[in-house]
Amino acid sequence: MNITFAVIRDEETKQKWKLAFEREQIHRPDEYYDRCMEENLNGKRVSLLALADGEVAGCCHLKYDSDYLPFQEQDIPEINDLNVFPSYQRHGIGNQFLEEFESIVRNERGIIGIGVGLFRDYGQAQRLYCRRGYILDGHGLVYKNQEVKPGTHVLVDDDLNLFFTKKLT
């Protein structure tokens, strides 16, 4: 399987991404696709499509201005919304996304961050991040990018996360 990456900078690539997500039943509003492409064009984000033998296998983003306050305060770019479609998992694509973004950030900032969900669907990602040397950022549990205080009840869904950082050398 030959894996290549394409940056989402034009309407054709954006449509290819949107159609692939629809096929995989990954739901995003149209505004999300538009915002991502706009942020790619103005340098606030790098969105990569993974192509396996020319077919879309996943997508991932590097956000230079994270929505997560501790990353904002420390100017830490965030790897965000990493998706590898099920039929392409276990082929190293997630690892390649991380390698690409770490390479971009290594000379610019020296540190990178990532958030991960907490239920079973995120198990492979949790293990991957730890294997690659990401460590917890120490700010605890977060729901919709806000700290979860002790005694608070939150919904266990995609917005319940822990965040990690990695120093790049």
Side-chain angles (χ1 to χ4, degrees):
M1 184 178 304
N2 181 37
I3 306 299
T4 58
F5 292 100
V7 178
I8 300 168
R9 288 192 183 125
D10 57 68
E11 200 61 39
E12 181 181 339
T13 308
K14 182 181 82 171
Q15 286 304 315
K16 186 184 278 192
W17 169 36
K18 182 180 176 187
L19 291 172
F21 265 40
E22 288 172 355
R23 227 180 0 263
E24 295 293 324
Q25 297 183 5
I26 300 172
H27 305 288
R28 301 287 185 273
D30 287 342
E31 299 79 31
Y32 178 75
Y33 299 101
D34 295 337
R35 183 177 74 245
C36 290
M37 189 170 87
E38 181 182 321
E39 289 178 1
N40 273 279
L41 293 171
N42 67 26
K44 291 183 176 182
R45 170 191 303 250
V46 178
S47 299
L48 295 178
L49 278 187
L51 304 170
D53 298 326
E55 295 296 319
V56 178
C59 184
C60 189
H61 309 269
L62 176 67
K63 292 176 67 175
Y64 285 103
D65 186 17
S66 174
D67 295 326
Y68 177 55
L69 187 59
F71 287 1
Q72 285 177 16
E73 293 172 342
Q74 298 173 64
D75 199 26
I76 297 173
E78 178 191 345
I79 297 172
N80 181 265
D81 203 16
L82 193 161
N83 286 281
V84 177
F85 302 156
S87 60
Y88 293 101
Q89 291 177 1
R90 312 286 306 158
H91 293 283
I93 296 171
N95 197 53
Q96 288 180 322
F97 273 130
L98 297 177
E99 189 63 42
E100 286 289 320
F101 289 134
E102 289 171 14
S103 178
I104 290 169
V105 172
R106 183 170 284 112
N107 296 327
E108 296 174 355
R109 314 270 173 103
I111 190 168
I112 196 166
I114 195 164
V116 68
L118 298 181
F119 54 92
R120 184 182 202 105
D121 291 359
Y122 291 97
Q124 287 183 25
Q126 294 163 358
R127 293 169 51 95
L128 172 63
Y129 305 158
C130 291
R131 276 196 312 271
R132 289 194 57 90
Y134 286 79
I135 61 169
L136 289 167
D137 75 343
H139 291 278
L141 202 55
V142 174
Y143 187 71
K144 294 188 177 183
N145 291 312
Q146 300 297 314
E147 175 187 354
V148 175
K149 305 245 188 247
T152 304
H153 292 270
V154 294
L155 184 63
V156 178
D157 64 8
D158 294 326
D159 293 318
L160 184 63
N161 302 119
L162 282 172
F163 282 82
F164 294 74
T165 59
K166 180 179 179 179
K167 290 188 179 177
L168 305 169
T169 54

